[in-house]
Amino acid sequence: MPILNKKNKKQVEKYNKFVREYRGSSLMQDLSWGKVKSNWIQEAVYLEEKGKITAAMMILIEKVKKLNTTIMYAPRGPVCDVYDIDKVQKLIAEAEPLAKKYKSFVLKFDPQVIYDEKLDKMYKDAGFKTSGKNPNPDTVIQPSHNMVLNIENKTQDELLKGFSEKTRYNVRLSKRKGVTVRYSRDEEDLKTFYEIYKITTIRDKIGCRPYEYFKRMLDAYDENSLRIYIAEHEGDKLSAAIATNFGGELFYLYGASSNEKRNLMPNYAMQWAMIEWGLETKCRTYNFGGLLSLNMDNGLYKFKVGFCREKGIEEYIGEINKVYKKGMYLMYSKGLPIMRNVNRKLRGLKTH
């Protein structure tokens, strides 16, 4: 059956093995990600040749209750060569029974591949709707720009030399001033992370996820895939982060910093500790996560770019949409950015 039967343990193991071993696969395509996104329905489809899985796609389904419809979304999927559009179309065809079952008006997917005008045109010519180059952040689910550091086959010294002079100085300063960094999977440290995270969201005027979201994340992944990092100085907990290690990519998923002792540069010490994990496990890249601003006046952008002068900003292909109901899709596409902007203003959050 091309729709994964999650009650079939053998088939689930086979599916997971393919996704976890496929070069360039994403943590968000792992079935465990569905446990994190527990408010979405989870399904998965795959293609098989001679008993071997050749393509896979984990799909999250969100209800739009007022409209009696749903959105299907394959975060950072599908797991296959997206340039092989025939294979992608076959995979999407396997999801059509799900679109009917859940009354979906669209299937959205956003593979983590570099933007390519030819690839974008290929999907448009095949009848898909695409977000295109440099889309409005309010029209897509994932940021189209990420800051990425190439760490494959690199030594610590080689990486340090590639940082900006100021970043290199701050990494060393934090160590010299006695900032220490540790990691764990203890729930007490998750609570510490969350307390610092709340401080960050208030200070930076950004949305705050509930504690249960991070608890589900901790429960979903093992010690080889997820760690909580804490930067401390003389007993004071100054910074915290959640990092994931999956498919050859070390991902700085969530970060937080307190308002205390910021002059000790604890965030730099913490980043360096997480980069070391990537080196130890032979990762290809260290991903600093999405960017909503590409301006040096933005503090977060300036912080990240200091580490990533070589590889730097990667712009991904963006969202590719298989539309099932054109009228509903058009209404959604036009209304979403307006709703998001209004929601941020009502909550007093920072706008782009």
Side-chain angles (χ1 to χ4, degrees), residues 35-265:
K35 299 174 185 177
V36 180
K37 298 289 186 178
S38 61
N39 55 323
W40 295 56
I41 301 166
Q42 184 194 49
E43 296 280 6
V45 295
Y46 59 94
L47 298 178
E48 202 168 25
E49 293 179 14
K50 297 179 181 179
K52 291 186 177 181
I53 293 177
T54 59
M57 182 166 60
M58 191 276 288
I59 301 170
L60 298 174
I61 302 160
E62 182 180 38
K63 295 179 181 179
V64 186
K65 293 181 181 179
K66 291 183 179 179
L67 300 177
N68 191 32
T69 185
T70 67
I71 295 168
M72 297 204 303
Y73 173 47
R76 294 306 187 211
V79 183
C80 66
D81 178 7
V82 295
Y83 280 85
D84 187 347
I85 195 166
D86 290 337
K87 179 173 283 188
V88 173
Q89 287 182 312
K90 288 177 183 177
L91 187 63
I92 289 173
E94 300 297 349
E96 286 188 7
L98 295 174
K100 291 177 182 178
K101 177 182 177 180
Y102 294 106
K103 301 178 181 178
S104 299
F105 69 88
V106 66
L107 167 61
K108 306 169 82 66
F109 56 102
D110 47 13
Q112 195 167 308
V113 296
I114 301 300
Y115 179 85
D116 178 350
E117 189 175 340
K118 291 181 180 179
L119 181 64
D120 185 68
K121 185 176 185 301
M122 187 189 303
Y123 277 91
K124 284 179 178 175
D125 289 346
F128 292 85
K129 299 291 185 181
T130 70
S131 61
K133 189 174 178 62
N134 196 28
N136 176 350
D138 282 334
T139 63
V140 293
I141 298 173
Q142 300 282 345
S144 59
H145 295 88
N146 279 38
M147 190 73 77
V148 179
L149 174 67
N150 178 17
I151 64 174
E152 189 170 21
N153 300 321
K154 296 288 183 71
T155 65
Q156 291 187 7
D157 285 343
E158 286 171 338
L159 287 175
L160 281 166
K161 288 177 183 177
F163 297 167
S164 72
E165 184 178 349
K166 185 67 173 175
T167 297
R168 193 163 54 243
Y169 174 82
N170 286 339
V171 169
R172 290 168 174 162
L173 172 72
S174 61
K175 183 177 181 180
R176 192 168 66 248
K177 293 293 185 179
V179 175
T180 59
V181 182
R182 60 181 176 82
Y183 66 85
S184 85
R185 292 179 49 79
D186 190 276
E187 190 173 352
E188 287 304 311
D189 281 329
L190 183 65
K191 290 176 182 176
T192 296
F193 160 82
Y194 194 70
E195 288 305 311
I196 302 175
Y197 168 74
K198 286 193 295 184
I199 292 169
T200 304
T201 61
I202 293 169
R203 182 186 64 232
D204 296 344
K205 295 183 179 180
I206 56 177
C208 183
R209 291 191 180 276
Y211 174 79
E212 291 72 23
Y213 178 85
F214 299 103
K215 180 62 169 64
R216 292 195 298 270
M217 195 179 293
L218 183 65
D219 292 340
Y221 293 99
D222 64 20
E223 64 276 5
N224 297 314
S225 302
L226 185 145
R227 289 177 178 179
I228 305 160
Y229 278 82
I230 308 286
E232 301 172 305
H233 181 263
E234 296 179 351
D236 295 323
K237 296 172 176 63
L238 306 180
S239 298
I242 294 176
T244 59
N245 194 325
F246 188 92
E249 179 181 70
L250 202 297
F251 201 105
Y252 169 44
L253 197 57
Y254 285 94
S257 60
S258 75
N259 296 323
E260 306 302 320
K261 298 182 179 179
R262 294 171 71 83
N263 61 308
L264 300 183
M265 305 299 167

Side-chain angles (χ1 to χ4, degrees), residues 310-351:
E310 178 191 339
K311 194 172 179 68
I313 301 169
E314 288 191 345
E315 182 177 2
Y316 301 137
I317 193 65
E319 280 186 4
I320 302 170
N321 298 315
K322 171 67 175 179
V323 178
Y324 300 113
K325 299 175 184 177
K326 292 182 180 179
M328 191 77 72
Y329 175 77
L330 186 62
M331 183 172 62
Y332 170 85
S333 300
K334 288 187 175 181
L336 182 64
I338 297 171
M339 288 187 297
R340 284 184 169 178
N341 196 39
V342 169
N343 185 49
R344 274 199 305 272
K345 288 180 178 178
L346 289 174
R347 296 167 63 192
L349 303 180
K350 186 186 294 183
T351 56

